[in-house]
Structure formats: C-alpha cells, structure tokens
Amino acid sequence: MKRTLLMIPGPVEFEPKVLASLGEPTTSHLDSSFIEAFGRSLEQLRQVFESPTGQPLVLAGSGTLAMDCAGANLVEPGDKALVVNTGYFSERFATILQRYGAQVTQVTAPPGSRPCLDGIKSALESDSFKLLVVTHVDTSTGVLTNVQKIAALAKRYGVLVVVDGVCSVAGEELKMDAWNLDLVLTASQKAIGVPPGLALLMIGPHALEAFHKRTTPVLNYYADWTNWLPIMQAYEARKPSYFGTPPVNLIFALRTSLWQILAEGMAGRISRHLAISRACKAGIHALGLAQVPSQPQFGAHTLTAPRYPQGVNGPDFLARVHQAGVTLAGGLHPEIRGEYFRIGHMGAVTLADVLVTLGAIETALTGCGYIFSPGSGLAAAQKAWSEK
Ligand code: PMP
C-alpha cells in the first residue's frame, strides 16, 4: 500500500483519534453514551459557529444536503433570492433555490474575482428579496468573500443571509451572531475534520422565524426541519428520540474532533489556518506560479489555487505530484478548469504538510521541464512561516 498525503480541498487528512472514533463499537442511537456524544456535539457546534443563539442541525449527508436542506426549508415558491456568485458552488446553490421555486437573481464576477459591494447593493435595491446566499469560500476558485460586509449590507434591506461555509467553517474567521448571519452550513470533511458524511447547519432565530411562517409544506421530506428540530432539541436535552437513524460512528468522530477544535480554541485555529495559508501562497509565488484569486485579499485561507506555469501539462503535473507522495486536486471552475490546480490546507494541517506538498510540487515541476530555482518555494514558505 502506498502512503500519500491528502492535500485536496476536502476530504482532508484526519486526526488519528477522530479516525479511531469511527472504530468504536456502534451503539444504539438511543444509548445514553450516544445521546451524550450527540447532545454535547450540538452544544459545541454553537461555539465553533460562534452562534450562542443558533439552532444546530446535523444530518447524515454531504455538504450538498446541507445546501438542499437550507433551500427546502427557507424557500417557498415565488420567493425572491439573491445569489452572490463566486463560482461553481454558488451556481449549485442557485440551482437548488430554483428547484424549490425561488426566483433567483445573481450578481456575478469573472472567475477569481468576487462581486463588489456596490453591485450587491444595487441588486438589493432593485427588488425585494427574502434571502441572500453567499459562498464564504468558493472551493472552485479559492475566492474568499467578505461575508461580514455583505451581511451588514443585506441587513439594511431586511434580507435573510445564508452562508455556504462548507470550505470555511472552523478554518476562516466567521462569527455567525456578531455578523448577523441567519444560516450557516458546512460539511464534516473539511475544516471540521471528520470523514465525509455529515451535513451541519446552524439556524439563526430569523431563519427559524421565516420557517415557522411558511404557508406551504417543505418540498423535501427527509430535509424538512419539522421532522428534525424536535430530534436535535431532544438530543440536547439528553433525551432519546428518533426520526431517521443518525450516523452513530460519524457522530462519535464529530464529538472527538469538536473536542480537539475547542481545545485549540477558535482564535488559535483561525490564526493557524492564516499562517499555513500564507506559507503555502508564499511558496507558490516564489516558484513563479500565479494564483486564481485576482487579488491577494480575495484569497481564501483554507486552500490555494495556483495556475499552471506555461508549458506545464496539468494531468502530467498532478500525476508527478502523486508519484512524489502528495494528492492534489485539479481545477473545477468550468471556465478555467484546465488552467489551475488546488491545494487544500485545512483541519489538522501543519506547516510540515505544506512543506512536503511544496517539495512534491517542486519535484513535479522539475519533471515537467519547468525552469526555476530548486528549493525556492520551500525557502519562501519557511520564511513566511517564521515571520508570522
Ligand atoms: N459548497 C462548497 C463551498 C464546497 O466546497 C462543497 C464541496 N467541495 C460543497 C458546497 C458541496 O459539498 P459536498 O461535496 O460535501 O456535497
């Protein structure tokens, strides 16, 4: 068996103790040890999302289910929604909202850029929207949006703010209550640090109010909050309850990961992601590779999206990186898919992981015939790290 380092933007490398939790004996979902693990995890999620007023909801499924769940429960046919589009995952959210009958308006930007606040403001002025959806980090481009400012703007128009935080929660700074966000969602396999399979939502009081005011049924049976809210509340009250069988071992793994996340502390975790990201981006820059985000301040801290240098063939390069022991991801945004690759650095990631990755990238670039000063990426990353 060949050991490789998984440095894609999810799933990521997981902590051994988290993985060991998956191997704990599976209990009944009504067992007191499971009720305690689930109840405690729900409580701790409020700390991770920085949302003391939020209602946590954890479902078996991927991030797309979390998006689907938000759309199904917040949208009634004919509602108007504004999508701040930064790429592939914003497109997906728009499609989901339309599926539930929303009339969707989009503010867009070229790949690597993000819609400006003025553009979002004019869109908000142009119509009466029920909700605004924004992708905090669009994993297809590595673009980070200014969620805090967008939410402050949307609040002036009384619009619900829904954040796709799949590639940001527990890796980027995000203060749900302080920033007035109404719903933030994520998935387990990224900065939350648990293997794929959990959809996590934090529902704020205004989003819950909008849900309770619905006059039409939720058009998705599994995702309907009517079914799940009593279950989440029961687990938090440490009472047994059932709607659909929860993924017992994934919840054990979540319990372990949340414990680790909070032991590190949110501020420490966010600054670690920042320092790791700076080191990675400094290394990539020193190698002479451009990045997809068109301005440094648009760059996310959970992944880096370098463009291939001229003359380097993407699939050949990625195969060589793999051969050197690191798995990276190719491009995803349909307009520029073949022009760049992606390095995920979130969750339990360390400087050592980034250095190994840059080393493998240097080895692959050499193999592809690219001319650069060997070791320059590694040196720049170490310098950036030491300056943190
Ligand atoms: N939104 C974003 C920003 C993502 O990065 C992803 C997954 N890469 C998703 C949504 C969808 O999540 P999943 O693949 O777990 O369904």
Side-chain angles (χ1 to χ4, degrees):
M1 195 170 81
K2 196 160 166 293
R3 190 165 54 86
T4 58
L5 183 67
L6 186 59
M7 293 293 284
I8 66 172
V12 300
E13 289 284 335
F14 301 116
E15 284 282 356
K17 278 189 180 160
V18 171
L19 294 175
S21 297
L22 294 174
E24 286 177 29
T26 305
T27 65
S28 158
H29 53 289
L30 307 179
D31 188 272
S32 60
S33 67
F34 177 72
I35 293 173
E36 177 57 28
F38 205 167
R40 175 73 61 90
S41 298
L42 293 168
E43 286 163 5
Q44 291 184 326
L45 281 172
R46 284 200 190 85
Q47 288 171 257
V48 173
F49 285 70
E50 304 205 23
S51 180
T53 67
Q55 167 62 56
L57 170 54
V58 178
L59 299 177
S62 77
T64 306
L65 176 72
M67 299 161 84
D68 201 20
C69 184
N73 287 280
L74 291 181
V75 169
E76 292 191 76
D79 283 345
K80 291 177 180 170
L82 181 64
V83 173
V84 177
N85 189 323
T86 43
Y88 184 89
F89 290 103
S90 313
E91 291 286 341
R92 177 173 296 185
F93 224 142
T95 306
I96 289 170
L97 299 174
Q98 276 161 348
R99 184 68 63 89
Y100 291 113
Q103 293 174 31
V104 173
T105 301
Q106 303 210 43
V107 274
T108 57
S113 189
R114 58 191 195 189
C116 65
L117 285 174
D118 282 346
I120 299 170
K121 186 163 181 272
S122 341
L124 284 165
E125 266 162 18
S126 72
D127 212 336
S128 169
F129 295 101
K130 177 174 181 182
L131 67 158
L132 173 149
V133 169
V134 56
T135 313
H136 196 186
V137 170
D138 203 299
T139 325
S140 71
T141 54
V143 166
L144 173 76
T145 49
N146 192 333
V147 162
Q148 186 180 8
K149 286 207 170 127
I150 294 172
L153 190 60
K155 282 294 124 185
R156 287 206 249 142
Y157 296 84
V159 177
L160 289 174
V161 176
V162 175
V163 178
D164 172 350
V166 173
C167 200
S168 80
V169 172
E172 299 281 357
E173 184 182 41
L174 183 140
K175 298 179 184 300
M176 180 164 165
D177 281 18
W179 294 0
N180 275 313
L181 313 177
D182 296 303
L183 187 149
V184 178
L185 60 90
T186 191
S188 51
Q189 75 271 18
K190 304 204 190 210
I192 290 283
V194 175
L198 294 178
L200 306 110
L201 297 93
M202 190 63 70
I203 310 163
H206 292 115
L208 267 186
E209 194 184 314
F211 166 71
H212 288 306
K213 278 192 186 150
R214 291 181 67 102
T215 54
T216 58
V218 171
L219 295 171
N220 181 321
Y221 178 73
Y222 179 78
D224 189 343
W225 293 348
T226 317
N227 298 322
W228 289 110
L229 292 178
I231 306 300
M232 298 299 129
Q233 283 150 7
Y235 275 114
E236 268 204 81
R238 308 299 195 266
K239 291 186 184 141
S241 67
Y242 166 78
F243 170 66
T245 308
V248 172
N249 289 65
L250 277 170
I251 298 292
F252 285 148
L254 178 67
R255 172 209 57 203
T256 304
S257 191
L258 291 176
W259 188 85
Q260 292 179 345
I261 289 171
L262 294 175
E264 182 177 23
M266 292 314 291
R269 191 170 179 89
I270 302 310
S271 58
R272 175 170 56 82
H273 279 79
L274 193 79
I276 293 270
S277 171
R278 284 196 181 137
C280 185
K281 287 173 174 63
I284 290 298
H285 179 71
L287 292 173
L289 273 59
Q291 292 171 42
V292 173
S294 55
Q295 294 185 32
Q297 73 269 25
F298 293 178
H301 307 104
T302 47
L303 78 154
T304 298
R307 290 185 177 273
Y308 297 117
Q310 209 157 24
V312 168
N313 170 281
D316 179 34
F317 167 80
L318 290 175
R320 286 175 189 273
V321 173
H322 190 73
Q323 196 64 34
V326 177
T327 305
L328 297 180
L332 183 59
H333 194 295
E335 283 175 42
I336 52 168
R337 198 186 300 267
E339 300 171 16
Y340 71 107
F341 62 100
R342 295 173 300 148
I343 308 164
H345 34 75
M346 59 191 123
V349 65
T350 63
L351 174 68
D353 295 332
V354 167
L355 295 178
V356 166
T357 303
L358 286 167
I361 288 172
E362 290 200 7
T363 304
L365 287 173
T366 303
C368 291
Y370 176 68
I371 310 287
F372 67 103
S373 165
S376 56
L378 286 163
Q382 289 170 84
K383 185 164 178 290
W385 178 263
S386 67
E387 287 165 0
K388 76 174 175 352

